[in-house]
Amino acid sequence: MSNLSQKTFCLYTYGCQMNEHDSERIAGMLESHGAVQVDSVEDAEIAVFVTCCIREAADVRLMGQVASIKNIPLPEGSALAKRMVCIGGCIGQRDGDELPAKLPHVDVVFGTQNIEKLPFLLEAAMSQGGHHVEILEKSDTFSTDLPSKREHPWSAWLPITVGCNNFCTYCIVPYVRGRERSRAIEDIAAEAAGLVADGVKEITLLGQNVNSYGRDLYGEPRFADVLRAVSQTGVERLRFATSHPKDLTDEVIGLYAELDNLMPSLHLPVQSGSDRILKAMNRRYTAAHYLDLIDAVRKANPDVALSTDIIVGFPGETEEDFQATYDLVKRVGYSQVFTFIYSPREGTPAASMVDDTPRDVIQRRFDSLVDLVQENAYAHNQRFVGRTLPVLVEGSSKRDERVLVGHSPHNVTVHAPIPDGMDAASLAGTTVAVKIDTAKAWYLSGAMVRD
């Protein structure tokens, strides 16, 4: 019997969808060894942190949370001498042996390339004590080979690549996730078919750059082939993240007009509207090329909702550079924009770039962009008023259990009162029709249309 049998564990997950997928694999793996997942650290004998190191705030938050749990008593009846603390993900990969020195009560450190070793490292820590650290520089396996415990039975992440070859100057991902590796199309399609047979209605294909899928296996990108193969499983909703502009092809864009189950939403990070800054970021496209892509997507399907990522305050950004970004955002009219103030990451080329822009100037630019983003999102959502949208229900609102929460095909949050005689539990995972009567910047609301 495993030493993990009946041991309770909780998961803290930070960062991207790939980390969320890794956490589902970790939960499935630990449960396959007999452990039991709980919601709070007070009830947990094992705490696992799946970390992100994209921004400095993630490091600070991790250190604070790990430090805060060392004095929380173990659950009543636990046979362990202390709570087991495990750190994995990108910070685990990056810092390795340094973490126990920073946080002495950490027991296990693992990386992005070897999450399958966590149960064995944990068992060693419980039986032998001490710190157990294992980091691999690369792996020949995929985490998809491990058991999974999905957060929602009707929705699934499906990684098609791991790692990244882009080396944007501000980004640590290639250093902690490794070089890009693609799974075989046949394996992806088989997993997708299995998910659909298991009742999954929405599949999101994952990769640091899904558009370059297959270059390492087939000598050329074949992401369009992946989309067609997964679409043919009959999954109700198909999405993907994240998409790099330099590799977005006309063939992939054309699928927005061809595939009925490819959802009308596209997350296409632009990062900056200034060609000078894009070059300094090593993004390898221009603002004009990016806007041409946007025009092509909207020609293929005018209903597509667009979202993006933008960094404000990249080293050397001038007022003119920022204005170019502001103008691009205004022209595109995104449904959602994830805005970030630049945070230097040690080990990246941008970290050594000199910048003397005052912090209050960067904050002013950031605030003005956030205001524009909110105006755009509000204007974008007005087009849904009066329309009836299919909404995949996720549950009830945290504020009102009699209000359902779900997402439209455009990935916009939708609220609607739950009709008498129904409840959130019975509606979760179903697709319902909602006639939209109100549109705000970040959500829509309306009423369920019943047959």
Side-chain angles (χ1 to χ4, degrees):
M1 180 179 293
S2 169
N3 289 339
L4 298 177
S5 180
Q6 298 305 305
K7 297 295 188 296
T8 56
F9 71 94
C10 67
L11 278 164
Y12 294 85
T13 307
Y14 309 95
C16 68
Q17 296 98 329
M18 195 67 76
N19 277 3
E20 293 183 36
H21 170 264
D22 283 351
S23 288
E24 290 183 347
R25 296 292 173 178
I26 288 169
M29 183 172 52
L30 291 179
E31 290 197 347
S32 73
H33 283 257
V36 179
Q37 187 170 9
V38 295
D39 293 330
S40 69
V41 69
E42 287 80 7
D43 297 324
E45 297 167 283
I46 301 164
V48 182
F49 293 81
V50 182
T51 61
C52 171
C53 60
I54 294 294
R55 281 169 288 280
E56 183 180 7
D59 288 61
V60 174
R61 184 180 180 189
L62 171 70
M63 298 302 168
Q65 288 205 295
V66 171
S68 71
I69 68 174
K70 66 181 178 181
N71 295 321
I72 297 176
L74 281 164
E76 186 176 349
S78 174
L80 295 182
K82 69 179 289 290
R83 178 176 286 104
M84 295 287 105
V85 178
C86 312
I87 298 179
C90 294
I91 292 179
Q93 183 74 27
R94 184 195 66 191
D95 292 352
D97 288 311
E98 297 177 12
L99 280 169
K102 297 176 183 177
L103 296 164
H105 58 293
V106 168
D107 303 280
V108 170
V109 179
F110 61 105
T112 59
Q113 308 292 323
N114 66 332
I115 65 174
E116 71 277 4
K117 293 296 185 69
L118 175 59
F120 308 102
L121 293 169
L122 258 173
E123 290 188 343
M126 288 190 291
S127 61
Q128 303 168 18
H131 306 298
H132 294 261
V133 179
E134 183 176 294
I135 305 297
L136 300 181
E137 291 303 316
K138 62 180 181 178
S139 172
D140 295 326
T141 63
F142 290 92
S143 62
T144 47
D145 299 330
L146 301 171
S148 178
K149 181 184 178 182
R150 297 194 302 273
E151 181 180 2
H152 301 301
W154 59 84
S155 180
W157 309 111
L158 203 172
I160 64 171
T161 68
V162 295
C164 184
N165 291 348
N166 290 322
F167 290 93
C168 300
T169 58
Y170 54 82
C171 186
I172 196 72
V173 168
Y175 306 97
V176 293
R177 284 281 178 184
R179 300 303 293 269
E180 186 174 278
R181 292 186 296 124
S182 304
R183 300 174 65 196
I185 290 178
E186 296 78 11
D187 293 343
I188 296 167
E191 184 176 353
L195 291 169
V196 173
D198 196 36
V200 168
K201 292 190 171 186
E202 182 174 75
I203 291 175
T204 302
L205 306 178
L206 291 182
Q208 302 300 145
N209 176 11
V210 291
N211 292 332
S212 63
Y213 165 85
R215 187 176 277 128
D216 57 318
L217 285 182
Y218 309 112
E220 61 181 355
R222 292 185 59 185
F223 183 48
D225 293 338
V226 173
L227 288 171
R228 289 193 182 96
V230 177
S231 173
Q232 288 169 6
T233 65
V235 66
E236 184 178 309
R237 295 184 173 203
L238 174 58
R239 304 185 188 275
F240 59 88
T242 292
S243 194
H244 197 297
K246 74 178 178 63
D247 295 310
L248 181 59
T249 65
D250 291 341
E251 187 178 11
V252 170
I253 291 172
L255 295 182
Y256 278 102
E258 178 184 327
L259 303 180
D260 291 338
N261 52 358
L262 179 59
M263 292 295 95
S265 64
L266 172 63
H267 185 69
L268 192 64
V270 67
Q271 305 301 358
S272 174
S274 162
D275 288 348
R276 192 180 70 84
I277 295 298
L278 288 172
K279 184 176 181 179
M281 290 177 167
N282 193 35
R283 293 292 288 175
R284 287 176 280 175
Y285 55 83
T286 64
H289 175 66
Y290 182 91
L291 290 170
D292 285 344
L293 293 174
I294 297 299
D295 290 342
V297 170
R298 285 183 164 151
K299 183 177 180 180
N301 186 341
D303 200 37
V304 170
L306 296 162
S307 59
T308 198
D309 297 337
I310 289 177
I311 296 172
V312 177
F314 187 80
E317 181 186 71
T318 65
E319 199 66 32
E320 183 180 5
D321 294 323
F322 173 73
Q323 189 61 47
T325 300
Y326 188 94
D327 291 344
L328 184 144
V329 171
K330 191 170 185 178
R331 173 176 168 180
V332 174
Y334 295 102
S335 64
Q336 190 172 21
V337 178
F338 298 91
T339 52
F340 308 98
I341 291 178
Y342 171 73
S343 173
R345 296 284 74 197
E346 184 179 349
T348 63
S352 61
M353 295 180 183
V354 177
D355 182 46
D356 57 1
T357 307
R359 178 70 184 200
D360 62 329
V361 171
I362 294 174
Q363 189 66 53
R364 171 183 57 77
R365 293 172 184 169
F366 179 83
D367 292 343
S368 67
L369 185 61
V370 168
D371 289 343
L372 175 62
V373 166
Q374 184 159 341
E375 291 172 12
N376 282 351
Y378 179 83
H380 172 272
N381 284 346
Q382 298 312 304
R383 67 192 178 109
F384 298 118
V385 174
R387 289 173 60 176
T388 298
L389 302 176
V391 175
L392 182 58
V393 180
E394 297 175 0
S396 61
S397 166
K398 293 180 180 179
R399 294 184 177 182
D400 188 342
E401 64 180 14
R402 293 303 302 166
V403 173
L404 67 81
V405 176
H407 279 82
S408 75
H410 313 83
N411 210 26
V412 180
T413 301
V414 179
H415 298 159
I418 298 174
D420 292 340
M422 295 184 174
D423 56 42
S426 62
L427 289 172
T430 67
T431 302
V432 301
V434 176
K435 185 172 183 179
I436 305 301
D437 56 37
T438 303
K440 301 294 186 181
W442 310 124
Y443 68 91
L444 307 171
S445 61
M448 274 183 58
V449 179
R450 303 177 69 177
D451 295 335

